[in-house]
Structures are given as C-alpha cells and as structure tokens.
Amino acid sequence: MQLTRREAFSAAGIAAGVCILSSCAPAERKSTQSETGRDMVPWPYHELDPETTAERAYHYHYDGHCMYGVFKGIVWQLAERYGEPYRSFPCSMMTYGAGGVASWGSLCGALNGAAAVIALFASAREQQVSLTSQVFLWYEQAELPVYVPVRPRLDMPMPGSVARSVLCHPSVALWSKASGYPVAGKEHMERCARLTADTARRTVIVLNERVSGQAPRSMIADPQVGRCNACHGRDGEQKDVLGRMACGSCHTSLSDRHPDTLATAPNSL
Amino acid sequence: MQLTRREAFSAAGIAAGVCILSSCAPAERKSTQSETGRDMVPWPYHELDPETTAERAYHYHYDGHCMYGVFKGIVWQLAERYGEPYRSFPCSMMTYGAGGVASWGSLCGALNGAAAVIALFASAREQQVSLTSQVFLWYEQAELPVYVPVRPRLDMPMPGSVARSVLCHPSVALWSKASGYPVAGKEHMERCARLTADTARRTVIVLNERVSGQAPRSMIADPQVGRCNACHGRDGEQKDVLGRMACGSCHTSLSDRHPDTLATAPNSL
C-alpha cells in the first residue's frame, strides 16, 4: 500500500520519538494553514548527528552548492529514515542559493539553506527568528571553515577567515584575502564545501538543542548593531532602518564611538 | 483513487499545455536527481496571468510576508488548477524570508521568493541565473512599488523609491527616506505588500516569456559592476571578489571613474 502524502504526514506525526518543534514552545501561535489544510508546517524534526550531517552536506555541496548542501544534508537523512513527507521535497530547487543566489553575492547560500530548513521545522515567526539568528550570529563571528572532511575532495590545509557578514560577497572576499587563493578556483570551492558542512552541523546543533529543551547558546550580536538600532531601528527616534547584520561590514567609516562622534555612514542612506 | 505524489507528477507532466521549462532549452544539462529519483525538478510551469498573480501575492503578503507572498502567489494558482505536485509544497516555510530573512535585512524576501520559485521551474544553473538575474536587475533599477491593489488593505498614495540594491536593508531605508514614513509602520507594510505584488508579477512575466519562447527583455547591469569585475572578478587579474550586486550601494566612495582615479572601496576588503 502506498500512502498519500497527507496520510504519510499524519503517520509520521504520531511516530515514536517525534518532536514537532512548535510543540516544544506551547505559547507560540499555530502555523499558517493553507486553504486546503495541506500546507502543513512545521514538519516533525528528529534529532540528527551533527558530524554525520556535516559530512553529508560537504559532499552534497559538490552536487548542488551551498544552499542545497545544507538543506539536503539535513532533510535527506529524515527522508531515508522516515520516508514522507521529507522524501517528496524537491531538494534540488535549493541549488538556487549558490553564490549568494544566482551568483549575485547576496545572502550566503549555506545560511539561506539553514534558514529554509529551520522554517520547515519551526513555523512560528519568533521561533524561526531565534533559531535562525543563532546560526547567523555564529557565522558572522566564527573563523571558518573548521570542518575537516572524512573523505576530502581536495586534501589541503584550509585557511580560515571571519566573514563579519552574512553575505556571500564579503565572506568570500575576506577568505580570498586571508588565504591568498583566487575566487572561483578549486580551493575556493573546497572552502565553501567545508563551510557548508560547518553550517549544516551548526543548524542541526541548534535544532537538536531546541528539541531537547536545552537553553540556546548565548550568542551576542555585534554591539554596533544595538547602538545603531537604538536610534535608527523601529523603536528608535529615527525609525529609518531595519536589520540585524553587522553594520560595520559595509558602513566601515562608522566610528566605534558612533553616535558620540557624529560620524556618518559611508553610503548615502 | 488517490494518486501518490510520483504518479501525480507524472500525470501533470503529460497534461495538455504543459511546458517544462527545461524542455524549452534543450542544450541545458538535466536536473540533479536524488538517489531515489523522487527529487524531480523542474516541475511543469503553466503560463499565469501577471495581474492576477500580483493581486494574490499582495494579499498573501499580509498572511506571511514578502517571500511567502511571491512564492505562494505563483505556486498556489497551479495547485488550485492542477493539484499535485504543487498542492503538497509546504509554502508556509517561505515565511522565513521576511525582512531579509528573519529580519536580518539581507536579501529582499520578495526576491528570495522569486529565485526559489524560478528554481522550482528551471533546474539548469544557467537558466536559473538568467531568469533570476532578469528579476534582480529589474528590482535594483525600478522605482517601486508600482502596483495599485484592486482591494487595498491600506488605501494611500504610495511613494516610490529606487532600491539600487537587492538587499532588504538599503531597499527599506531608501524608501523610508524617500517617503518620510517610519520603518515597521503600517505604511511600510503596505509598501512591502505592493512590492511583493510587483515582484510576483515580474517573475511571472519572465517565466511566461521563457515558456512562450520570447527573447528576454534587455536588462543592463549597473556599468560599475562590469568595471569592478573586470579586475576583481573570476576572470580579472585580482580574482578576489564575486558578485553581481550594484557595487555602489555599499562601496559609496567608489568614483564613477574607478579604477582610473584609484579610489578605493570604503570598506577594508
């Protein structure tokens, strides 16, 4: 007998060991339901092994790049163990995030994949923001990549760098500067494969902590973000800016003492 | 009889009027198939009416924000007409793109949704990049929003602005500056709902053109991007930068005559 997707989802939902993330946060609002009730998120999340996830994501990167690597590295383990609904997800669509989406250099594809997979398992906005921000803050501040593949495609000493941004363009540029390797070469591809592994591992750690009820690791945003948002953010006097990205990555002329020094941002905003 | 998702996909694939985008570009490589063959993209795309799509996306924005609005505004029309595989896609996961992903201000969620939906209907990398870039270039350069809802949630004269970026943070900041409205207010939400409508409409226009075999509209990237990439890009001498975003949105001290004037970028890259 083959199950319809809806039946499969229901069966998965009552399987032993399942924790639907939203059930771990009873105060949150229910997920948005489509007109037919089929558009059901969150999907059940089952704890995964971070190291296994990292190695899978690393190899998937070589099939479909960064966003695909993180997303499939997580979802496909659940597909292999539990079948539907995971198995029918068209993971290959996630190739679109490569190079900061279509090589535009915007959001790092590994982070786009992390945010997408988190949204599959956590539908409430507050929970999405909390879990996603844990991964984003880690990425901004960590020296990456760290992961050493069990079966490396390119066996090399891998220099690390701190992105100070969630965007692909500065992340890659700073790694190129730190390592001396050119962009778009085989070393760059290996760097992004290992970064994909690191990001998938971190995403699973964050999801596992949530399922097991552990308090999230304390992640502190760049202090400049708070100082800028105190005036410019939604609760500030000026209310002319939204964002949580590290300001100094683009606004490099901002003094550490801004606004005391009245230094202005370099761009014309 | 209920169909499995795979059977439904096959049935949809042979339905009259279907055009699988990849079949319109026979030279492209075949899509990545998962281990089981279930991860099948591209899905069939059927031409949609741009105006209907815009109005739907506008209202969906009020349910799940920008990325969800664009994605569901397109996919759900196909779900209503053709059922599977569209109907089972968990569209609600796309709420994650709001505010440049979890309010971080990175990639505009409307564009993240556009790129995601394009990837569902065009699996080859070259085609994804081409179609996505048409939407991204339009967004960078157009004064938006343009769309006037048939049934507005907030009936107001809507000031427009040119984002000069694909990122949420500068896009919102420049609109706030141009309009005088604060961020996170009801006018800002209405602006983003109309921007979502505009982006969904443009995405459908680009997809329809591809299906009908029309040549894509000529979209010219900011000339500065070409000048910068001539030295810094993968084919340049320095090979230290990747990206297609308008450089001057962040690197505002770059002279229009760079590199002749040897002006450096404001940040430390």
Side-chain angles (χ1 to χ4, degrees), chain A residues 5 36 38-39 84 87-88 90-92 96 103-104 112 125 133 169 177 183 239 242 252 266-268, chain B residues 5 36 38-39 84 87-88 90-92 96 103-104 112 125 133 169 177 183 239 242 252 266-268:
Chain A
R5 184 180 172 90
T36 65
R38 283 218 177 200
D39 181 12
E84 299 295 348
R87 188 171 288 273
S88 288
C91 292
S92 293
Y96 83 86
S103 299
W104 271 66
N112 211 354
R125 174 77 180 153
S133 293
H169 168 78
K177 184 178 182 182
V183 297
K239 300 183 196 304
L242 284 181
T252 51
N267 68 26
S268 58
Chain B
R5 186 182 171 90
T36 65
R38 284 217 175 201
D39 181 11
E84 298 297 348
R87 187 171 289 273
S88 288
C91 292
S92 293
Y96 83 86
S103 298
W104 271 67
N112 211 355
R125 175 77 181 153
S133 293
H169 169 79
K177 184 178 182 181
V183 296
K239 301 183 195 304
L242 285 181
T252 50
N267 67 27
S268 58

Side-chain angles (χ1 to χ4, degrees), chain A:
Chain A
M1 184 188 78
Q2 283 191 294
L3 298 177
T4 66
R5 184 180 172 90
R6 191 171 194 176
E7 290 163 349
F9 179 87
S10 300
I14 58 173
V18 162
C19 178
I20 298 177
L21 279 173
S22 65
S23 70
C24 305
E28 71 187 19
R29 68 170 173 76
K30 289 188 177 179
S31 64
T32 302
Q33 297 284 325
S34 75
E35 291 82 342
T36 65
R38 283 218 177 200
D39 181 12
M40 299 165 79
V41 292
W43 284 3
Y45 176 73
H46 308 254
E47 284 192 60
L48 295 173
D49 176 60
E51 298 308 314
T52 303
T53 303
E55 184 72 6
R56 280 181 170 244
Y58 169 79
H59 289 286
Y60 285 138
H61 176 276
Y62 276 97
D63 292 339
H65 301 287
C66 41
M67 186 180 191
Y68 174 81
V70 170
F71 193 89
K72 186 158 182 173
I74 295 171
V75 170
W76 209 249
Q77 291 185 73
L78 300 175
E80 289 176 353
R81 289 189 207 167
Y82 304 102
E84 299 295 348
Y86 318 99
R87 188 171 288 273
S88 288
F89 194 100
C91 292
S92 293
M93 69 178 286
M94 297 301 178
T95 56
Y96 83 86
V101 179
S103 299
W104 271 66
S106 70
L107 178 62
C108 166
L111 292 180
N112 211 354
V117 84
I118 285 170
L120 202 54
F121 301 126
S123 61
R125 174 77 180 153
E126 310 75 42
Q127 195 177 33
Q128 279 182 17
V129 169
S130 170
L131 298 174
T132 302
S133 293
Q134 289 177 51
V135 180
F136 278 33
L137 284 170
W138 159 83
Y139 180 100
E140 269 192 344
Q141 299 169 17
E143 184 171 323
L144 298 173
V146 170
Y147 190 69
V148 179
V150 177
R151 294 179 291 115
R153 303 289 185 105
L154 182 64
D155 199 359
M156 61 178 280
M158 179 57 68
S161 59
V162 180
R164 297 189 298 152
S165 173
V166 295
L167 303 181
C168 169
H169 168 78
S171 175
V172 167
L174 284 176
W175 178 81
S176 178
K177 184 178 182 182
S179 69
Y181 287 115
V183 297
K186 63 183 188 303
E187 297 87 0
H188 173 195
M189 291 304 100
E190 178 68 13
R191 174 262 185 186
C192 288
R194 296 186 187 193
L195 186 72
T196 295
D198 283 322
T199 306
R201 178 167 58 179
R202 175 61 50 167
T203 305
V204 156
I205 288 171
V206 165
L207 288 170
N208 288 351
E209 285 174 347
R210 179 67 182 160
V211 165
S212 64
Q214 291 181 54
R217 294 162 196 233
S218 177
M219 297 296 301
I220 308 297
D222 184 320
Q224 203 172 43
V225 176
R227 286 200 303 275
C228 290
N229 277 328
C231 289
H232 294 283
R234 68 178 69 204
D235 298 320
E237 188 179 342
Q238 301 198 35
K239 300 183 196 304
D240 57 354
V241 160
L242 284 181
R244 298 170 192 240
M245 297 187 289
C247 310
S249 179
C250 295
H251 300 271
T252 51
S253 72
L254 273 180
S255 162
D256 281 346
R257 289 175 294 162
H258 175 84
D260 295 341
T261 56
L262 294 176
T264 56
N267 68 26
S268 58
L269 300 183

Side-chain angles (χ1 to χ4, degrees), chain B residues 152-222:
Chain B
R153 302 288 185 105
L154 182 64
D155 199 0
M156 61 179 279
M158 179 57 68
S161 58
V162 180
R164 298 189 298 150
S165 173
V166 294
L167 303 181
C168 169
H169 169 79
S171 175
V172 167
L174 284 176
W175 178 80
S176 178
K177 184 178 182 181
S179 69
Y181 288 115
V183 296
K186 63 183 187 302
E187 297 87 359
H188 173 195
M189 292 303 101
E190 178 68 13
R191 174 262 185 185
C192 288
R194 297 187 187 193
L195 186 73
T196 295
D198 283 322
T199 306
R201 177 166 60 180
R202 175 60 50 166
T203 304
V204 156
I205 288 171
V206 165
L207 288 169
N208 287 351
E209 286 175 347
R210 179 67 183 161
V211 165
S212 64
Q214 290 181 56
R217 293 162 197 235
S218 177
M219 296 297 301
I220 309 297
D222 185 320

